[in-house]
Amino acid sequence: MKKFLVGVLLVFLMPLFSHSAQYKKEYKLSCVVGPKLLWGEGASYFAKLVKERTQGRINIKVYTAASLMAGKQTNEFLILREGVADFAFASTINWSSTIKQLNLFNLPFFFPDYAALDRVTEGYVGEELKKMIKKKGVTILAWGENGYREITNSKRPIKTPSDLKGLKIRVVGTPIFIDIMKSLGANPINMNWSEAKVAFQQGVVDGQENPVVGIEIPVKIWQYHKHITIWHYVIDPLMMSVNNKVWNSFTKEDQDIIRQAAIEAAYWEKTQVRKGLIAPDLSALDTLKKHGMTVTVLDRKQIEEFKKLTKPIYDKWVPKIGKNLVEEAEKAVDYK
Ligand code: X2X
């Protein structure tokens, strides 16, 4: 009888102690771009891995095209922190108006190649950024990538700063981008990605900057712009991330599954967006040429001409990012 009563009691009490009983039916993952871009596919791949490996206990739904924030992409960190989104596969650019330190990745001509970027994200600086973001309410699980942002326009090939002069360039509404474009002599116009394609189509702007494989090829940028300059001026990593309260609600076992899925999905996505952009395989640039674009690849000396003009950006933004963080990133970049 006693055993029976204990058994009955356990049956009723179990749900109170079992975490999975408290799990939500659906977790919302925020993504700024559409499902067909590699960025969106990376998000879906993550959701799929988590679902499979938790036997459907954790069900993540991907909300693409910035739908959780009505297109206003620079609000993404806030909606994640507040719990409107539970997860995000997010660009550092869209969060950097809220988290000043992430402007590190927006410093013009700072990351010469992918290896330098990887040393920064996977090393001390990446860890510091994670700790800092954790204190603000969000856990970063893995780094993916949007890519190096290369400038396209409908007017002329850009080889020198004078070619860029006066061109109306669409940028994300993150303050440093306005500053950078102004320092380079362009006329920046900030706009959400959700409105940008119509603006390209209607010629409201002359140009824009985005990654080749991640964005420019899938949106067929050649429909609007005939010229592209490969100048690697800024790169944006993506962060697979989760609201801290949501993260803490998972059992340790499920946290391990989710973290591992995030690492695998983000790594897959990062590998895909770099394809065709690293010599000797420059097939992504061939795709642009095939569609009639002039592809101008700047050498170090030409890049220096642009970089020189951005000194005011460093003067203004390094103190906001944190001198120490920038110096640590410089060490990682220069490491040979
Ligand atoms: O808005 C953009 O340019 C995009 C899609 O690349 C970002 O979200 C940073």
Side-chain angles (χ1 to χ4, degrees):
M1 185 66 186
K2 208 167 153 197
K3 260 191 200 151
F4 174 76
L5 280 179
V6 170
V8 169
L9 212 62
L10 274 178
V11 168
F12 283 102
L13 289 178
M14 269 293 272
L16 294 178
F17 295 108
S18 152
H19 278 282
S20 61
Q22 297 162 17
Y23 286 2
K24 298 187 197 177
K25 278 218 180 79
E26 174 195 295
Y27 291 90
K28 295 181 164 62
L29 184 148
S30 172
C31 179
V32 163
V33 297
K36 291 201 184 108
L37 305 197
L38 285 164
W39 178 351
E41 282 187 35
S44 312
Y45 184 36
F46 168 63
K48 177 173 166 273
L49 289 179
V50 171
K51 190 167 188 170
E52 280 171 9
R53 293 175 185 177
T54 60
Q55 290 79 40
R57 278 181 294 113
I58 300 175
N59 176 30
I60 300 171
K61 181 164 176 210
V62 179
Y63 286 77
T64 51
S67 51
L68 292 177
M69 54 247 167
K72 188 127 182 40
Q73 63 201 73
T74 51
N75 278 353
E76 192 177 47
F77 184 77
L78 299 175
I79 65 137
L80 178 59
R81 193 181 64 188
E82 299 310 323
V84 174
D86 303 297
F87 289 86
F89 194 26
S91 151
T92 48
I93 291 179
N94 294 325
W95 290 12
S96 56
S97 38
T98 322
I99 302 174
K100 297 279 173 278
Q101 290 85 342
L102 287 177
N103 284 291
L104 172 70
F105 300 106
N106 305 330
L107 284 175
F109 309 103
F110 188 87
F111 295 95
D113 51 43
Y114 293 112
L117 172 75
D118 291 343
R119 285 195 296 272
V120 170
T121 51
E122 300 303 332
Y124 170 83
V125 173
E127 287 310 309
E128 284 302 298
L129 289 170
K130 281 184 187 171
K131 275 189 221 157
M132 204 199 61
I133 295 171
K134 183 108 191 168
K135 281 195 204 131
K136 293 182 194 283
V138 169
T139 302
I140 305 297
L141 301 170
W143 300 97
E145 188 158 293
N146 193 9
Y148 273 116
R149 300 179 74 87
E150 317 293 6
I151 192 163
T152 67
N153 84 93
S154 60
K155 301 286 181 198
R156 53 187 172 254
I158 299 169
K159 295 179 182 144
T160 65
S162 65
D163 298 323
L164 182 54
K165 215 169 189 66
L167 291 186
K168 277 189 241 155
I169 305 294
R170 175 268 168 178
V171 291
V172 182
T174 299
I176 193 171
F177 282 90
I178 304 282
D179 289 349
I180 296 171
M181 282 300 161
K182 282 189 181 157
S183 76
L184 294 174
N187 180 4
I189 298 181
N190 83 62
M191 204 179 284
N192 289 319
W193 181 240
S194 53
E195 299 144 13
K197 274 166 287 173
V198 177
F200 304 156
Q201 200 165 19
Q202 297 179 342
V204 175
V205 291
D206 303 314
Q208 63 88 44
E209 38 75 73
N210 251 303
V212 172
V213 171
I215 309 265
E216 290 172 339
I217 292 178
V219 304
K220 302 191 171 74
I221 200 72
W222 48 82
Q223 301 174 93
Y224 322 110
H225 303 149
K226 284 283 167 255
H227 310 287
I228 183 163
T229 296
I230 307 299
W231 62 347
H232 281 15
Y233 92 121
V234 152
I235 191 155
D236 57 316
L238 300 179
M239 299 161 290
M240 197 68 86
S241 50
V242 52
N243 171 294
N244 280 355
K245 284 200 201 102
V246 174
W247 182 241
N248 293 334
S249 75
F250 295 130
T251 61
K252 168 79 177 59
E253 191 195 20
D254 284 337
Q255 285 181 346
D256 290 345
I257 292 173
I258 295 169
R259 189 186 293 283
Q260 185 58 30
I263 291 168
E264 287 173 36
Y267 181 78
W268 173 83
E269 184 275 343
K270 186 201 277 198
T271 312
Q272 298 301 312
V273 293
R274 290 181 183 184
K275 272 196 181 152
L277 290 172
I278 305 172
D281 174 14
L282 295 173
S283 52
L285 303 187
D286 295 337
T287 301
L288 300 173
K289 285 180 201 156
K290 238 191 321 199
H291 288 94
M293 294 187 83
T294 68
V295 179
T296 305
V297 181
L298 300 188
D299 61 28
R300 294 236 169 224
K301 226 174 114 211
Q302 287 171 306
I303 287 176
E304 234 1 86
E305 290 303 303
F306 286 92
K307 185 167 183 181
K308 265 196 288 195
L309 297 174
T310 63
K311 181 161 184 306
I313 306 299
Y314 281 75
D315 294 344
K316 176 173 170 184
W317 285 90
V318 169
K320 290 184 201 279
I321 297 164
K323 201 162 171 283
N324 181 48
L325 201 67
V326 176
E327 280 172 2
E328 288 297 331
E330 263 163 1
K331 274 191 228 159
V333 165
D334 291 340
Y335 182 81
K336 287 283 167 341

